[in-house]
Amino acid sequence: MGLTSHTSPNSKVCLDSSTVRLKELGYKQELKRDLSVFSNFAFSFSVVSVITGITTLYNTGLNYGGPVSMVYGWFVACGFTIFVGLAMAEICSAYPTSGGLYYWSAKLAGSKWAPFASWITGWFNIVGQWAVTTSIDFSLAQLFQVIILLSTGGANGGGYQASKYVVIAMHGGILFLHAILNSLPISVLSFFGQLAAVWNLVAVLGITIIIPCVATERASAKFVFTHFNSDNGEGIHNKFYIFVIGLLMSQYTLSGYDASAHMTEETKNADKNGPKGIISAIGISTIFGWLYIVGVTFAVTNIPYLLSTDNDAGGYAIAQIFYSVFKNRYGSGVGGIVCLGAVSIAIFFCGMSSMTSNSRMAYAFSRDGAMPLSSVWHKVNKQEVPINAVWLSACISFCMALTYLGSQVAFQAMVSIATIGLYIAYALPTFFRVTLARKSFIPGPFNLGRYSILVGWTAVCWVAIISVLFSLPVAYPITNKTLNYTPVAVGGLLILVISSWIFSARHWFKGPKTNVDE
């Protein structure tokens, strides 16, 4: 049963149940609470954006296991991700604040461990979110580069191949547009969020139907559902090893649904609608993501050619699939380029929603004094938008992408944090919930009842497993070019966060602090 609405004793204004709950948790209502349950869901669904993650890492799926890895690996990743989402949703219902994960950790770890738990969770969460925005917008810049390449003749027809500096410039322009959109009032942003959700659904269904129907040559059902590609040229021959590496495509896609938690201070009845946003984003993404994978894979007839840098798309598998399908049918690949345009719009909306989420996280984290110059990032403008946090997120995401100019390896290490770093932040409050707060946790309107502990431990174990799996070498022999830098990146972040705690933050950071007037 949910909380009922309350009325302020000094006025006749009816307060949303979550506004009252927010005050009980120690915070003033500073952001405009204007989002419906659909709007809250839309932000998470847009950040998850199956069309973004699958398109970006389809090469990885094809290379490591191919159809079997993608078609069945998707359900493996989604199945366990639902456990992670359920555990998070239960905690979100009890603590509907923009701080989300780090606030949850502080409340669940107990007074003794609250500051440290909050510190480590918060920094893994916010850096992971910045890395997600970086990877999304950079993948869009790369897709733009491929669209331009194909539009000007392709790699084999003298098409224009943008330099890495041009790609970085496009990435900066995309971030700039996202920052402008996120500077608008939440009512306007809510409209774009809902449009993004609808666009993602329509684009997935449209491409899923169009691509296999237009294709002159289609893969058989046997190929789509039983073919396992072990010929990856990476020196790995164990099929189980190949399969688990192929899971990265699915797990990378299924991240960012914590956006619903970070938008709770702007959501009506957030103690119920926030959890609904998390669960529905994962559930609907599961269905539409699988349809997209199957639909596109029915157009796969030559895996080595799709992965070859000598094809027209320069090795961008999905772009080559779309282009070839239309070119073989109509003699022109324009239709494929249009489909890529539809995908790019979905990715653009994904980046926009990602920035919305991490700007709210930065706003909340600085509200509790955890960030340098916290008083600056915590400010909201007349439209009740954390404007400084928005532009901070854009600037940091751009700086993260600059590592690409130094080396591809450095950039991949940075982006590794987007998956593993973020999931570690997801698991920490759940871990505290099933250990330190096992008996003291008071659930909100949405709760798992007697299954809470089982779901929580399953979620924690899954995050531990993927943290190991995605740190394994992805090619042999191991060299400086083939080394998987994920453990280096995530381990480096862990060292920085703990070091800053030991040498500085433990002396002044006391965890979330209230700002309600006495």
Side-chain angles (χ1 to χ4, degrees), residues 146-369:
V146 173
I147 290 174
I148 293 170
L149 175 64
L150 292 174
S151 300
T152 53
N156 297 315
Y160 174 71
Q161 181 77 47
S163 69
K164 60 183 180 181
Y165 297 100
V166 173
V167 174
I168 283 291
M170 288 192 289
H171 176 255
I174 294 165
L175 282 169
F176 182 75
L177 290 175
H178 284 157
I180 290 177
L181 288 174
N182 275 282
S183 299
L184 299 174
I186 190 61
S187 56
V188 178
L189 205 56
S190 173
F191 167 76
F192 282 114
Q194 294 178 48
L195 178 62
V198 173
W199 185 272
N200 269 274
L201 293 173
V202 172
V204 167
L205 288 177
I207 291 173
T208 298
I209 295 170
I210 291 171
I211 294 302
C213 287
V214 173
T216 55
E217 293 182 63
R218 285 185 290 273
S220 65
K222 180 179 180 180
F223 175 87
V224 173
F225 295 107
T226 66
H227 179 72
F228 189 89
N229 179 36
S230 57
D231 185 20
N232 50 62
E234 305 293 353
I236 302 175
H237 306 292
N238 183 283
K239 289 188 175 182
F240 179 75
Y241 195 148
I242 293 171
F243 180 81
V244 297
I245 294 177
L247 286 176
L248 178 61
M249 181 200 77
S250 302
Q251 200 64 66
Y252 169 82
T253 302
L254 296 164
S255 61
Y257 43 85
D258 58 316
S260 287
H262 297 301
M263 302 304 294
T264 49
E265 290 186 32
E266 296 161 272
T267 301
K268 300 172 184 176
N269 298 313
D271 46 1
K272 290 172 286 188
N273 292 338
K276 289 178 182 177
I278 293 173
I279 300 306
S280 57
I282 298 172
I284 296 176
S285 293
T286 297
I287 298 169
F288 281 81
W290 190 78
L291 291 175
Y292 185 63
I293 290 171
V294 171
V296 172
T297 306
F298 263 109
V300 173
T301 56
N302 189 336
I303 293 177
Y305 175 70
L306 293 176
L307 295 174
S308 172
T309 55
D310 294 328
N311 63 33
D312 285 317
Y316 200 118
I318 278 191
Q320 185 62 48
I321 292 172
F322 292 179
Y323 187 74
S324 295
V325 160
F326 280 89
K327 189 172 184 179
N328 292 339
R329 169 73 71 174
Y330 303 110
S332 169
V334 172
I337 295 173
V338 172
C339 288
L340 290 175
V343 171
S344 67
I345 293 174
I347 298 177
F348 181 84
F349 280 137
C350 177
M352 177 200 74
S353 298
S354 178
M355 186 176 290
T356 305
S357 176
N358 62 50
S359 64
R360 270 52 179 182
M361 169 61 192
Y363 156 81
F365 209 31
S366 61
R367 176 173 60 187
D368 291 319

Side-chain angles (χ1 to χ4, degrees), residues 443-459:
F446 177 90
N447 66 86
L448 303 174
R450 60 180 179 176
Y451 299 106
S452 179
I453 301 302
L454 175 62
V455 170
W457 273 118
T458 303

Side-chain angles (χ1 to χ4, degrees), residues 14-32:
C14 186
L15 297 179
D16 182 277
S17 63
S18 296
T19 301
V20 176
R21 179 57 177 154
L22 184 66
K23 186 174 182 180
E24 292 173 351
L25 296 175
Y27 294 117
K28 293 184 291 185
Q29 182 68 52
E30 296 180 307
L31 303 178
K32 189 175 182 180

Side-chain angles (χ1 to χ4, degrees), residues 396-410:
I396 291 180
S397 294
F398 181 69
C399 291
M400 281 184 162
L402 291 178
T403 55
Y404 174 72
L405 297 178
S407 88
Q408 181 69 29
V409 170

Side-chain angles (χ1 to χ4, degrees), residues 124 417 420 424 485-498:
F124 263 93
I417 299 172
I420 301 302
I424 289 174
Y485 283 85
T486 298
V488 177
V490 177
L493 176 60
L494 179 63
I495 292 172
L496 285 174
V497 171
I498 292 180

